[in-house]
């Protein structure tokens, strides 16, 4: 770098008048620095190409800003800014470096510029060496923010944010690939590099890069755009300069690339050109109709409205106002505020010679004219600490050296002008609401919050372009088709031709016919024709670029979805187990088969329990449930089992008994209905039996299992279920599979079961009645067509397949190829679906709870009656005991006798005892008055008779 710097200095020093001007300026600055800490004049430079449209507005804005700062003593006091304008005549070439050094030789404390990122890259090295801050609002290359250029300070938005906005736009409209057309310089390459990174974060990509020389001729531009037109993507991002970009759009218009189906997204160069040169001529506007462009966003404010009004006075309407002019104006103010803070900290402006210049020897070089700004780092620090409100809004830097709250307007070129369709901000992404209205709300980048207004696309249409077409380069899609040996109804090659037929082929052709565009393709067979090829390997060849797609009976699995994208499944097909079955005939004991043994036992127990509970509840009230013990036992048994047929003759009179019986009869109704249905099925439907019950029984034994060669079944059984690979037997044809099943697991070459997808098994079993599906389908898969990742054709074909399903065409194709007359055994049942206890435990629980509740209530009522009766009896006994006639029995025996008695008898006896007690008391009182006559109840009766 030192050698390059020395050569550059040599060129500058050889220019006329350089030496004398530099030395004189050095003397002045040294004199100022010795007289006072704060100088009266501070030199700042502007390096820009003032002969360009952007340069013209920048010059007006910078000069106006310097004038405003110098007239406002509240900023720098008595210190004035002295502006040095340096024309960057080439603004991208070697001479730009020499022109920058001319500014630095004047003891400039900061330079505003340069105009381009290419020049900024080189000058930043010199700024680092001389420690002179370089403030640029138009060099937006993201790589300039790196640690390599500490003295480069960007006073506008980093292009990284602009590329993020474009990536969000692409993702918002559902496109997955774009074409980048850009100038092949630092600005173009690094900007497109940032775009590629941001697109990748959203699972999008740049499918084709079309770099152009910044000085490309019309013929060269045409050659590049012709290649773009032959590509697949129709979403084109144009990233270039204000002078060169309109030429590209004009050539694109002449090539028919501004018609319906194209999408053009332009970076800020287009909005800048429109703003400065507005109104544009009709021919220029015709070239850019429908283009989407970005513009750096400046929020509305009083300062902005005042600036717009003053701008009209400054330019007399000859130049439009661009955001670059506003950022240029604020850049001067940022530098002024930074200098004010710099001086308040007690800093001085001093320069010193660069010791490295002694390495370069020469007679007439005068290298001492270019000196180092000693306090450059302190001024740089002050610039990054500026926090002000300018015409551009709130101006503040973040910790990474970029401006806070970057935002862009998104405009659409329509008619004679533009319309705003929304905004993008780093805070909330795409929105139709102004960014400053969202800053107070939480950060939200969710897809549901992203919203833009309608767009008029190229071709004057509001219909969103698809964003891609099949490349118009004569190339056809190479579609791999598995060359199957078995189940050729799904896909097979017509013998002696390159044509294919089958269910999968018809579905693909029907779906393609529904697409609104033509699909050039050709089928290429995959496989040797002697064994079924591996569909996983076929899918892998898509990622390798051998095939562009794959059509056939390709199951959608997790492993395959990691490699390619699949369409919507056009048939459901999970793994099932097929095994040999044998017929079973009904026997003399078939009537016992509807219930399992446990079901029979529990049902019988509940019959007895319910009968016993009803007997308890009715025994004291109902004569039908009374009598000798044998009769009562017979009544319980008869009543219990007669309820099965609703033939019980005993009436229930108690409320609790009726409640229990009602619940029980409901249970019996359900049981009878289920028993009848199951027995009917057993006696009328043919029964089949198999030693294999499903995939569970295969896991628990060591018998061989067959699978179709080339399918994913082997990997699934080994890796997912854990079956030993040595147990698996590959089978090639259906005939081979049938023979292996017939042999069984105990013969050589035989298998216990055959595992494959249901779609295959339906065809396999349609003519083989000795086999059947056992157990349940244990996976849920589907078949789809495979395409490369993020292929838009996969999305469109998925929509077409759904349309086929909705209009019934998919079912008709299925019936054409796969509908077969099933053998009679397909309607048979595999073994007996016996009714188990778990299907009825709820009913039994309900009935049991009813019995318990009824018994509990009955027990409470009986105990209350017993307590009342026992108290009365105890009183009577005490009276009788005095007469010595009776003794008191045990309480338990008394309760059991009481509970066994009929309730009417108990009530009658209780009433009679009450009367006896009353009579006994009356007689006692009379006897007492008659000196003890009639001492007992019998004597009382006698006395009474005698008295009578």
């Amino acid at each position: 770098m030192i050698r390059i710097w020395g050569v550059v200095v040599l060129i500058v020093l050889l220019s006329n008048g350089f030496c004398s001007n530099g030395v004189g300026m050095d003397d002045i600055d040294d004199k100022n620095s010795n007289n006072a800490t704060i100088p009266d004049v501070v030199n700042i430079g502007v390096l820009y190409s003032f002969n360009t449209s952007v340069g013209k507005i920048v010059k007006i804005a910078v000069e106006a800003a310097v004038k405003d700062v110098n007239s406002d003593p509240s900023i720098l006091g008595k210190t004035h800014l002295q502006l040095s304008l340096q024309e960057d005549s080439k603004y991208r070439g070697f001479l730009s470096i020499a022109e920058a050094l001319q500014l630095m030789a004047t003891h400039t404390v900061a330079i505003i510029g340069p105009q381009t990122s290419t020049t900024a890259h080189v000058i930043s090295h010199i700024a680092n060496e001389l420690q002179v801050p370089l403030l640029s609002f138009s060099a937006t290359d993201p790589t300039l923010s790196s640690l390599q250029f500490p003295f480069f300070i960007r006073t506008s938005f980093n292009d990284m944010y602009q590329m993020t906005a474009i990536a969000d736009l692409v993702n918002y409209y559902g496109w997955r690939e774009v074409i980048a057309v850009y100038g092949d310089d630092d600005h173009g390459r690094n900007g497109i590099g940032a775009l590629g990174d941001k697109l990748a974060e959203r699972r999008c990509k740049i499918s084709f890069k079309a770099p152009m020389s910044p000085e490309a001729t019309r013929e060269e531009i045409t050659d590049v755009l012709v290649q773009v037109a032959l590509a697949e993507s129709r979403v084109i991002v144009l990233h270039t300069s204000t002078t060169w970009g309109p030429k590209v759009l004009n050539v694109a218009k002449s090539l028919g690339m501004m018609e319906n189906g194209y999408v053009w997204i332009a970076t800020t160069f287009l909005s800048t050109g429109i703003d400065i040169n507005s109104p544009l001529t009709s021919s220029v506007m015709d070239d850019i109709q429908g283009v989407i462009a970005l513009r750096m966003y400046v929020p509305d404010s009083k300062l902005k409205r005042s600036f717009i009004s003053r701008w009209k006075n400054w330019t007399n309407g000859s130049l439009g106002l661009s955001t670059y002019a506003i950022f240029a104006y604020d850049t001067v103010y940022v530098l002024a505020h930074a200098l004010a803070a710099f001086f308040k900290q007690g800093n001085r402006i001093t320069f010193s010679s660069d010791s490295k210049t002694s390495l370069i020897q020469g007679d007439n070089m005068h290298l001492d004219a270019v000196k180092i700004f000693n306090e450059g780092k302190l001024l740089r620090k002050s610039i990054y600490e500026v926090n002000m409100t300018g015409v551009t809004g709130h101006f503040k830097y973040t910790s990474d050296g970029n401006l806070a709250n970057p935002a862009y307007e998104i405009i659409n070129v329509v008619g004679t002008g533009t319309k705003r369709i929304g905004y993008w901000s780093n805070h909330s992404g795409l929105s139709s609401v102004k960014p400053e209205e969202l800053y107070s709300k939480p950060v939200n980048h969710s897809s549901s919050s992203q919203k833009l207004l309608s767009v008029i696309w190229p071709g004057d249409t509001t219909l969103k372009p698809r964003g891609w077409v099949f490349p118009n380069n004569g190339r056809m899609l190479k579609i791999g088709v598995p060359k199957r040996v078995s189940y050729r109804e799904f896909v097979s090659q017509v013998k002696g031709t390159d044509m294919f037929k089958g269910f999968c082929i018809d579905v693909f052709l029907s779906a393609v016919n529904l697409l609104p565009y033509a699909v050039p393709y050709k089928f290429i067979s995959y496989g040797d024709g002697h064994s079924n090829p591996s569909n996983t390997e076929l899918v892998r060849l898509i990622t390798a670029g051998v095939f562009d797609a794959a059509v056939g009976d390709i199951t959608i699995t997790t492993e395959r979805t990691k490699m390619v994208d699949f369409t919507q499944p056009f048939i459901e097909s999970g793994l099932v187990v097929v095994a040999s079955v044998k017929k079973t005939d009904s026997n003399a004991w078939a009537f016992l088969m509807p219930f399992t043994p446990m079901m029979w036992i529990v049902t019988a127990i509940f019959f007895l329990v319910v009968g016993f509970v009803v007997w308890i509840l009715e025994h004291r009230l109902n004569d039908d449930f009374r009598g000798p013990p044998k009769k009562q036992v017979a009544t319980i048994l008869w009543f219990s089992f007669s309820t099965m047929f609703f033939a019980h003759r005993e009436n229930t009179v108690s409320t609790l008994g009726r409640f229990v019986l009602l619940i029980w009869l409901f249970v019996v109704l359900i049981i009878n209905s289920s028993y009848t249905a199951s027995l009917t099925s057993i006696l009328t439907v043919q029964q089949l039996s198999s030693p294999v019950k499903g995939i569970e029984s295969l896991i628990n034994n060591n018998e061989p299992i067959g699978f179709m060669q080339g399918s994913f079944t082997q990997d699934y059984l080994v890796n997912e279920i854990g079956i030993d690979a040595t147990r698996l037997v590959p089978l090639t044809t259906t005939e081979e599979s049938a023979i292996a099943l017939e042999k069984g697991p105990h013969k050589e070459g035989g298998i216990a079961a055959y595992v494959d997808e249901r779609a295959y098994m339906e065809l396999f079993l349609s003519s083989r009645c000795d086999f059947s599906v056992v157990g349940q389908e244990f996976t849920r898969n589907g078949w789809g067509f495979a395409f490369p990742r993020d292929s838009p054709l996969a999305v469109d074909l998925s929509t077409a397949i759904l349309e086929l399903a909705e209009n019934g065409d998919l079912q008709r194709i299925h019936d054409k190829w796969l509908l077969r007359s099933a053998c009679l055994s397909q309607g048979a049942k595999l073994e007996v679906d016996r009714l188990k206890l778990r299907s009825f435990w709820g009913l039994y629980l309900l009935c049991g709870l009813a019995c318990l509740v009824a018994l509990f209530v009955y027990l409470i009522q009986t105990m209350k009656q017993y307590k009342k009766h026992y108290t009365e009896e105890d009183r009577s006994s005490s009276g009788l005991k005095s007469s010595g006639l009776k003794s008191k029995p045990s309480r338990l025996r008394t309760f059991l006798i009481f509970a066994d008695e009929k309730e009417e008898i108990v009530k009658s006896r209780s009433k009679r005892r009450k009367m006896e007690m009353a009579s006994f008391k009356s007689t006692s009182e009379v006897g007492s008055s008659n000196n003890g006559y009639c001492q007992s109840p019998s004597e009382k009766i006698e006395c009474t008779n005698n008295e009578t």
Side-chain angles (χ1 to χ4, degrees):
M1 184 192 75
I2 295 176
R3 292 180 180 178
I4 296 175
W5 184 81
V7 174
V8 172
V9 172
L10 178 61
I11 295 175
V12 175
L13 295 180
L14 291 177
S15 60
N16 293 333
F18 173 78
C19 298
S20 59
N21 292 339
V23 174
M25 205 65 211
D26 186 19
D27 293 338
I28 293 173
D29 285 345
D30 287 341
K31 191 180 296 183
N32 287 338
S33 63
N34 293 329
N35 291 337
T37 301
I38 302 177
D40 294 333
V41 176
V42 176
N43 294 329
I44 63 173
V46 180
L47 179 64
Y48 228 83
S49 181
F50 299 116
N51 60 344
T52 64
S53 58
V54 176
K56 292 176 183 177
I57 64 171
V58 167
K59 180 180 179 181
I60 296 173
V62 170
E63 289 177 339
V66 170
K67 182 178 179 181
D68 291 343
V69 169
N70 290 337
S71 63
D72 186 358
S74 64
I75 302 177
L76 286 173
K78 297 180 179 180
T79 301
H80 285 68
L81 298 178
Q82 181 169 314
L83 189 65
S84 298
L85 300 178
Q86 178 64 54
E87 173 72 23
D88 183 8
S89 58
K90 296 296 182 183
Y91 68 90
R92 70 169 65 90
F94 183 72
L95 290 180
S96 297
I97 305 172
E99 291 160 350
L101 283 170
Q102 286 183 344
L103 278 177
M104 293 181 180
T106 61
H107 290 187
T108 301
V109 298
I111 295 178
I112 298 175
Q115 181 169 344
T116 67
S117 298
T118 302
T119 305
H121 270 279
V122 180
I123 295 179
S124 292
H125 290 287
I126 302 174
N128 292 346
E129 187 71 27
L130 301 180
Q131 299 184 15
V132 177
L134 197 64
L135 290 79
S136 179
F137 46 84
S138 56
T140 52
D141 177 1
T143 62
L144 286 169
S145 299
S146 65
L147 298 177
Q148 183 182 7
F149 307 112
F151 281 87
F152 176 84
I153 302 173
R154 185 182 288 107
T155 57
S156 63
F157 301 144
N158 191 329
D159 261 354
M160 175 185 65
Y161 298 116
Q162 180 175 207
M163 297 308 167
T164 304
I166 294 176
D168 281 345
L169 268 174
V170 173
N171 187 57
Y172 173 78
Y173 287 111
W175 301 314
R176 286 292 171 262
E177 296 182 1
V178 303
I179 295 175
V181 179
Y182 58 96
D184 194 10
D185 54 15
D186 291 329
H187 174 67
R189 285 190 301 271
N190 296 330
I192 294 303
L195 175 62
D197 294 339
K198 297 302 178 181
L199 287 172
E201 293 175 3
R202 293 152 181 80
R203 288 196 63 185
C204 305
K205 66 178 182 179
I206 300 176
S207 60
F208 181 68
K209 293 184 178 180
M212 299 184 188
S213 169
E215 299 178 351
T217 63
R218 185 177 181 85
E219 289 72 21
E220 292 171 338
I221 295 174
T222 301
D223 292 340
V224 173
L225 291 184
V226 167
Q227 296 179 26
V228 171
L230 295 176
E232 178 178 316
S233 178
R234 283 293 182 263
V235 182
I236 304 171
V237 176
L238 182 58
H239 181 50
T240 181
S241 65
T242 306
T243 56
W244 182 66
K247 297 179 182 178
V248 177
L249 293 172
N250 178 260
V251 174
K253 174 72 174 179
S254 65
L255 294 176
M257 297 176 66
M258 301 297 293
E259 302 298 329
N260 191 8
Y262 280 91
V263 177
W264 285 84
I265 302 175
T267 52
T268 53
F269 80 87
L270 184 60
S271 61
T272 301
I274 293 175
D275 293 340
I276 295 174
N277 302 311
S278 182
L280 299 176
T281 63
S282 58
S283 60
V284 174
M285 291 301 297
D286 287 343
D287 292 341
I288 58 177
Q289 288 295 305
V291 176
I292 294 178
L294 276 70
R295 175 193 290 136
M296 287 188 291
Y297 177 65
V298 177
D300 186 32
S301 65
K302 184 178 180 181
L303 287 174
K304 180 182 177 182
R305 291 191 293 271
S306 174
F307 186 85
I308 294 174
S309 176
R310 296 173 65 194
W311 182 264
K312 294 178 181 178
N313 296 330
W314 294 335
T315 62
N316 296 321
S318 60
L319 290 173
L321 176 60
S322 166
T323 53
Y324 281 123
I326 299 176
F327 277 96
Y329 184 87
D330 271 3
T331 299
V332 175
Y333 265 84
V334 169
L335 182 56
H337 281 283
L339 285 169
F342 173 83
F343 291 137
K344 285 181 181 180
Q345 296 169 4
N347 298 313
R348 298 174 24 168
I349 296 177
T350 62
F351 295 86
S352 61
S353 299
D354 189 352
S355 60
K356 297 178 182 179
T357 58
S358 61
L359 300 176
I360 304 176
Q361 302 296 328
D363 295 332
N364 300 315
M365 297 181 67
H366 298 284
L367 298 182
D368 57 341
V370 181
K371 295 187 176 182
I372 296 175
F373 178 24
N374 296 325
E375 290 78 19
K377 292 182 179 180
L378 296 176
L379 179 58
R380 180 188 64 184
K381 181 175 180 292
S382 297
I383 293 173
Y384 278 124
E385 291 176 350
V386 169
N387 188 354
M388 72 173 199
T389 299
V391 181
T392 57
H394 186 205
F395 196 103
K396 180 182 179 181
Y397 283 100
T398 60
S399 59
D400 60 357
N402 290 308
L403 289 182
N405 299 325
Y408 292 87
E409 289 182 76
I410 304 173
I411 62 174
N412 181 208
V413 181
V414 180
T416 58
T418 63
K419 74 167 186 174
R420 183 189 302 114
I421 62 172
Y423 303 88
W424 180 92
S425 70
N426 196 39
H427 180 82
S428 56
L430 300 174
S431 174
S432 57
V433 180
K434 292 181 179 180
E436 61 267 25
E437 298 179 13
L438 300 174
Y439 290 149
S440 59
K441 300 179 180 179
V443 176
N444 186 3
H445 288 276
S446 63
S447 57
S448 59
S449 67
Q450 308 296 291
K451 184 178 180 181
L452 296 175
L453 302 179
S454 61
V455 178
I456 305 297
W457 303 100
D460 195 24
T461 177
T462 58
L463 183 64
K464 186 198 78 171
R466 189 170 67 248
W468 66 279
V469 295
F470 284 100
N472 187 22
N473 55 11
R475 181 178 174 274
M476 305 179 74
L477 288 180
K478 296 180 294 183
I479 300 179
V481 182
K483 193 173 183 179
R484 293 197 59 88
V485 177
S486 59
Y487 303 116
R488 296 170 61 84
E489 292 86 350
F490 292 103
V491 58
S492 63
Q493 186 172 8
V494 179
K495 191 174 182 179
T497 68
D498 294 332
M499 299 175 61
F500 288 82
K501 64 179 181 179
F503 169 73
C504 300
I505 300 299
D506 278 7
V507 172
F508 176 76
L509 295 178
S510 299
V512 168
N513 290 335
L514 292 177
L515 298 179
Y517 49 87
V519 180
Y521 65 89
K522 62 178 178 179
F523 290 136
I524 301 175
S525 63
Y526 172 71
D528 56 12
H530 302 292
S531 60
N532 294 319
S534 170
N535 284 338
T536 301
E537 184 60 29
L538 174 59
V539 167
R540 188 174 289 109
L541 291 177
I542 297 177
T543 63
V546 177
F547 296 116
D548 299 312
V551 171
D553 50 343
I554 304 172
T555 306
I556 303 173
T557 64
T558 303
E559 179 187 4
R560 294 170 184 173
T561 54
K562 294 178 180 178
M563 296 185 285
V564 297
D565 282 348
F566 282 93
T567 62
Q568 172 78 15
F570 55 87
I571 189 172
E572 299 295 330
S573 183
L575 290 178
V576 295
V577 178
V578 172
S580 297
V581 294
K582 60 181 180 179
K583 300 176 182 178
T584 57
D585 298 326
S586 300
N587 54 38
W589 303 102
F591 67 91
L592 295 176
M593 295 180 67
F595 289 166
T596 61
M598 180 58 68
M599 181 68 180
W600 279 115
I601 293 173
V602 172
T603 303
I605 291 174
F606 262 85
F607 270 109
L608 295 176
V609 169
V610 172
F612 181 70
V613 170
V614 172
W615 175 81
I616 292 176
L617 299 176
E618 295 290 321
H619 179 66
R620 302 184 64 228
L621 302 175
N622 195 338
D623 289 333
D624 291 339
F625 290 87
R626 300 188 62 81
K630 290 184 178 180
K631 179 184 177 183
Q632 293 186 49
V633 171
T635 300
I636 292 174
L637 294 175
W638 164 254
F639 180 82
S640 299
F641 291 102
S642 63
T643 55
M644 179 183 293
F645 311 103
F646 305 97
H648 52 285
R649 63 188 179 187
E650 292 80 8
N651 294 323
T652 52
V653 296
S654 68
T655 302
L656 293 175
R658 289 175 178 177
F659 169 72
V660 172
L661 186 60
L662 179 64
I663 299 296
W664 175 243
L665 290 178
F666 174 73
V667 174
V668 170
L669 175 64
I670 301 300
I671 293 175
N672 280 343
S673 301
S674 303
Y675 176 87
T676 303
S678 181
L679 183 61
T680 302
S681 176
I682 292 172
L683 297 177
T684 58
V685 179
Q686 183 182 8
Q687 308 299 324
L688 303 176
S689 64
S690 172
V692 178
K693 308 302 180 184
I695 189 64
E696 294 82 7
S697 61
L698 292 178
I699 296 174
N700 297 328
N701 61 42
N702 294 316
E703 295 177 340
I705 303 170
F707 70 94
M708 183 57 62
Q709 185 184 32
S711 71
F712 76 101
T713 307
Q714 181 181 15
D715 291 337
Y716 185 85
L717 294 177
V718 174
N719 299 327
E720 301 297 331
I721 297 183
I723 293 178
D724 194 339
T726 58
R727 295 176 55 194
L728 302 181
V729 180
L731 303 169
T732 305
T733 64
T734 55
E735 292 75 14
E736 183 181 355
S737 304
I739 293 173
L741 280 172
E742 289 173 353
K743 288 182 178 180
H746 305 298
K747 294 183 179 180
E748 185 179 356
I751 56 176
Y754 178 32
V755 179
D756 213 330
E757 297 182 71
R758 179 173 288 278
Y760 297 138
M761 293 299 94
E762 289 176 354
L763 278 178
F764 179 77
L765 297 175
S766 63
S767 58
R768 295 173 176 85
C769 301
D770 294 334
F771 314 117
S772 180
V773 175
V774 294
Q776 300 295 322
E777 189 173 336
F778 58 93
T779 65
R780 291 290 184 271
N781 300 103
W783 293 356
F785 305 131
F787 290 88
R789 297 299 296 268
D790 302 321
S791 171
L793 185 57
V795 178
D796 290 351
L797 275 179
S798 294
T799 304
I801 290 172
L802 289 175
E803 186 176 347
L804 288 176
E806 292 172 357
N807 61 26
D809 288 345
L810 189 59
Q811 184 61 44
R812 282 188 283 273
I813 297 173
H814 177 276
D815 295 344
K816 171 186 174 182
W817 289 99
L818 307 180
L819 188 62
R820 298 288 186 273
S821 57
C823 64
L824 297 177
S825 66
Q826 295 304 304
K829 294 183 65 177
L830 184 62
E831 297 193 345
V832 180
D833 295 331
R834 306 182 73 179
L835 300 178
K836 300 179 181 179
L837 178 61
R838 65 171 177 263
S839 302
F840 299 92
W841 71 268
L843 291 172
Y844 286 126
L845 177 63
L846 179 65
C847 184
L849 290 175
C851 292
L852 290 176
V853 171
L855 284 175
F856 179 75
V857 173
Y858 172 78
L859 181 62
I860 297 298
Q861 292 176 346
T862 304
M863 291 183 68
K864 289 176 65 178
Q865 291 177 2
Y866 170 74
K867 184 176 181 181
K868 180 179 180 183
H869 171 266
Y870 178 78
T871 303
E872 295 172 354
E873 185 176 352
D874 188 51
R875 292 174 182 173
S876 175
S877 298
S878 62
L880 294 176
K881 185 177 181 182
S882 62
S883 63
L885 294 177
K886 290 186 179 180
S887 62
K888 181 179 178 181
S890 66
R891 179 164 298 185
L892 177 60
R893 182 183 176 190
T894 302
F895 176 76
L896 293 177
I897 295 173
F898 175 79
D900 184 60
E901 288 181 322
K902 192 172 182 180
E903 189 172 346
E904 293 180 359
I905 297 175
V906 172
K907 290 181 179 180
S908 177
R909 185 171 66 246
S910 177
K911 184 177 181 182
R912 186 172 65 252
R913 285 181 176 176
K914 287 181 181 180
M915 293 175 63
E916 288 178 353
M917 288 298 296
S919 176
F920 176 76
K921 289 180 180 180
S922 174
T923 305
S924 297
E925 293 174 357
V926 173
S928 174
S929 63
N930 291 327
N931 298 320
Y933 291 101
C934 305
Q935 297 297 316
S936 67
S938 59
E939 291 175 347
K940 174 187 170 188
I941 295 171
E942 254 182 57
C943 292
T944 303
N945 292 336
N946 291 334
E947 291 176 357
T948 303

